[in-house]
Amino acid sequence: MGAVDGFLKYNRELPEVRDPKARVADYEEIYVPFAEEKTNKQAARCMDCGIPFCHNGCPLGNHIPDFNDAVFNKDWETAFKILSSTNNFPEFTGRICPAPCEGSCVLGINKDPVAIELIEKSIAEEAFERGLVKANPPKTRTGKSVAVIGSGPAGLAAATQLNQAGHNVTVFERADQIGGLLRYGIPDFKLEKWTIDRRLKVMEEEGITFKTNANIGVNIPVNELEEKFNAIVLCGGSTVPRDLPLPGRGLKGIHFAMDFLSQQNKRVSKRDNVLVNHQGVDTKADIFATGKNVIVIGGGDTGSDCVGTSNRHKAKSVTQIELLSKPPESRTQLNPWPEWPMTLKTSSSHDEGCERAWAILTKEFIGNDKGELTGLRLVDINWGKNGMEEVPGTDRVIPCELALLAAGFVHPQKEGMIEQLGLELDERGNVKAENYATSKSGVFTAGDMRRGQSLVVWAISEGREAARAVDEFLEGASKLPSKSKSFYQLA
């Protein structure tokens, strides 16, 4: 360990953010550069615990104390070797992961946890800047071919690992660009798309083939893939959004959050298919928040992204409402360390301007004689032993010309690919799998399509583990790393 007393000498420090009034005028990343010396000090705060619970908190099992020590000693090459042994895309997780590892940091028991997410991003960016991220194609090929359906983090991770095992990998994406929700679901002010393009260039140099506008089960028959490939990995995600089938749902001005976000991402990227939504369907409607009272229904990260985008559209007002009660400011006795802290989260988008309200039930969408949304009927609720109860006398209508539904996703799209493959589903409507193998031989699944809506870091983990299962299926055994044993440990 580099600094025995680092956690006593240094306080947690994160990069400064650009002024909210200035940054809402663009879609560039909000953080200003962070000095290398400051990153070294943040890494020095790691206590190198006897039992590093951060390992367990991280779905990827990253060797966090090890790369923190390397960063403290300014050994960026070793730090990158350690981090990339378990994480294919630290440049993504270092920007958009909610950092469950920090929630399990031992230092977080009575002080601010180590800034692990910042350190991951710093390692990734230093590695690219120093030329440490290089194409590393496999020395030999197995002659086996694998089709990966979906190019989100799960699909990209599975493709990378399978390619390293020597298989010929083709990634199919129904959108016009590779990246899945990284590309069209996460706003550029959180993840600029050059970070994706930079990584894709390396993957292509390593021998991975990408095919866009390839909607399997629609414009490419499933049986065509079954004939051409030795295995198929489904990483299409959980793409069917949770709806609110309330009175007035058909009014103009009510949209799913992901359609709103994907449109804006395409505008920023100067794409010409803005009106095609995240499921590849023509929406026939431009969605703008400009000059409107915007209500975002749903209190999660997707809702927060809608807030930030609406502010950049120059909305008249932005309000985010949540069905559940307001979380506490700090842990309660029912939520002890090292559990994920169920506490109030305030994002950069909230800092840019947003009213927030909790324990609110939406009862009706109100419209005018033109069929346009004009307001939402809401009521306060209490959560008790009997569940949800409306608070008498709180029923009211508030003005709203744009309602964005950000209540999560229920399951993957069943029409087309899943139905044609005849796959078994679990009780939640996700693709059922055992050790990532579906009910059909040679077909595997990973990510949100298998486990349900989750985090980017979980998607990467799923893709890596599924790749190992596919490799075992094709070769009888696999040398690919698992969570319990990485390349770094084997070296």
Side-chain angles (χ1 to χ4, degrees):
M1 183 170 65
V4 176
D5 59 349
F7 68 98
L8 296 173
K9 291 172 59 177
Y10 308 118
N11 294 322
R12 178 181 169 99
E13 185 179 359
L14 297 176
E16 294 181 4
V17 294
R18 296 189 290 129
D19 182 81
K21 293 181 180 178
R23 69 185 191 232
V24 294
D26 60 52
Y27 290 86
E28 297 174 4
E29 190 170 308
I30 67 170
Y31 296 102
V32 300
F34 199 65
E36 180 179 330
E37 180 183 351
K38 289 185 176 183
T39 305
N40 299 141
K41 290 180 178 179
Q42 290 307 300
R45 296 185 71 238
C46 178
M47 299 189 295
D48 195 16
C49 309
I51 301 177
F53 281 82
C54 54
H55 286 193
N56 186 61
C58 175
L60 285 163
N62 287 338
H63 306 293
I64 295 165
D66 297 37
F67 67 63
N68 281 337
D69 180 65
V71 170
F72 171 74
N73 289 298
K74 301 182 181 180
D75 186 352
W76 294 103
E77 185 172 358
T78 297
F80 178 65
K81 177 183 178 183
I82 296 169
L83 178 54
S84 60
S85 72
T86 55
N87 186 351
N88 300 88
F89 313 119
E91 66 271 32
F92 302 153
T93 55
R95 286 175 165 85
I96 58 176
C97 181
C101 53
E102 294 185 13
S104 296
C105 174
V106 176
L107 184 58
I109 294 175
N110 57 7
K111 298 188 73 172
D112 290 332
V114 175
I116 301 169
E117 182 182 20
L118 165 66
I119 295 169
E120 279 196 24
K121 177 186 174 182
S122 300
I123 294 171
E125 293 309 309
E126 287 286 345
F128 273 105
E129 186 175 332
R130 294 166 183 259
L132 301 176
V133 184
K134 302 175 182 177
N136 182 31
K139 293 180 174 59
T140 59
R141 290 287 179 181
T142 64
K144 307 286 178 61
S145 60
V146 182
V148 176
I149 317 303
S151 67
L156 294 181
T160 300
Q161 295 299 100
L162 287 165
N163 184 66
Q164 285 300 309
H167 306 302
N168 296 305
V169 181
T170 302
V171 178
F172 294 87
E173 169 58 53
R174 67 180 174 183
D176 64 330
Q177 285 189 292
I178 297 295
L181 291 189
L182 294 172
R183 174 76 64 180
Y184 285 142
I186 298 173
D188 286 67
F189 53 80
K190 288 175 64 175
L191 181 72
E192 292 189 72
K193 305 315 173 212
W194 59 263
T195 61
I196 303 174
D197 297 332
R198 177 180 64 181
R199 175 59 69 173
L200 293 178
K201 183 175 184 296
V202 176
M203 294 175 68
E204 286 179 328
E205 291 173 354
E206 290 179 333
I208 298 173
T209 300
F210 295 100
K211 293 186 180 296
T212 56
N213 298 304
N215 197 343
I216 308 303
V218 179
N219 63 357
I220 297 180
V222 170
N223 59 9
E224 183 177 312
L225 297 190
E226 292 181 290
E227 293 172 359
K228 290 183 178 180
F229 294 91
N230 300 106
I232 300 173
V233 190
L234 309 181
C235 302
S238 181
T239 56
V240 178
R242 181 173 286 106
D243 205 349
L244 283 181
L246 302 172
R249 176 62 180 87
L251 293 167
K252 298 175 183 177
I254 306 169
H255 300 277
F256 290 116
M258 201 53 63
D259 295 340
F260 175 65
L261 296 173
S262 61
Q263 273 198 10
Q264 186 54 48
N265 281 11
K266 290 175 183 177
R267 292 189 192 100
V268 174
S269 298
K270 296 180 171 56
R271 310 302 293 180
D272 58 7
N273 62 339
V274 170
L275 299 187
V276 176
N277 71 10
H278 75 286
Q279 292 183 305
V281 178
D282 189 348
T283 64
K284 298 183 174 62
D286 258 315
I287 310 172
F288 284 105
T290 311
K292 297 176 182 177
N293 295 294
V294 179
I295 306 295
V296 179
I297 303 175
D301 288 341
T302 300
S304 171
D305 293 343
C306 289
V307 169
T309 302
S310 295
N311 284 326
R312 284 159 177 75
H313 280 193
K314 296 180 172 56
K316 183 177 181 180
S317 69
V318 184
T319 304
Q320 185 177 19
I321 61 175
E322 167 61 55
L323 187 66
L324 300 177
S325 301
K326 184 177 180 179
E329 298 281 347
S330 58
R331 290 183 185 270
T332 66
Q333 290 183 341
L334 298 176
N335 180 216
W337 175 92
E339 292 180 357
W340 171 250
M342 304 298 290
T343 55
L344 179 65
K345 306 295 192 300
T346 300
S347 73
S348 60
S349 293
H350 296 138
D351 293 336
E352 294 163 359
C354 173
E355 294 293 327
R356 304 175 73 184
W358 290 265
I360 302 290
L361 175 66
T362 306
K363 299 194 70 176
E364 183 181 3
F365 298 106
I366 307 297
N368 58 23
D369 55 7
K370 296 180 181 178
E372 300 167 331
L373 179 69
T374 59
L376 264 61
R377 184 179 299 279
L378 307 175
V379 65
D380 294 343
I381 57 173
N382 283 327
W383 288 94
K385 293 182 179 178
N386 298 322
M388 180 178 66
E389 296 180 349
E390 296 184 14
V391 178
T394 61
D395 191 292
R396 74 270 192 195
V397 175
I398 62 174
C400 175
E401 295 81 44
L402 176 61
L404 298 172
L405 309 184
F409 296 83
V410 291
H411 50 65
Q413 180 181 319
K414 300 172 186 176
E415 300 80 16
M417 180 177 65
I418 291 178
E419 286 185 346
Q420 289 178 25
L421 284 168
L423 302 178
E424 288 185 30
L425 305 177
D426 64 18
E427 63 278 1
R428 294 184 299 162
N430 299 317
V431 177
K432 188 175 182 179
E434 183 175 347
N435 191 29
Y436 302 93
T438 71
S439 57
K440 188 163 188 174
S441 179
V443 179
F444 297 76
T445 185
D448 291 2
M449 181 173 276
R450 187 191 78 91
R451 64 177 285 121
Q453 181 186 358
S454 191
L455 307 176
V456 166
V457 67
W458 265 115
I460 297 173
S461 174
E462 288 265 313
R464 289 174 62 89
E465 295 297 303
R468 181 178 173 87
V470 173
D471 192 33
E472 289 175 345
F473 168 77
L474 294 175
E475 298 295 301
S478 178
K479 294 182 179 179
L480 289 175
S482 65
K483 287 184 184 180
S484 61
K485 185 169 289 188
S486 70
F487 279 132
Y488 167 67
Q489 291 172 304
L490 291 170

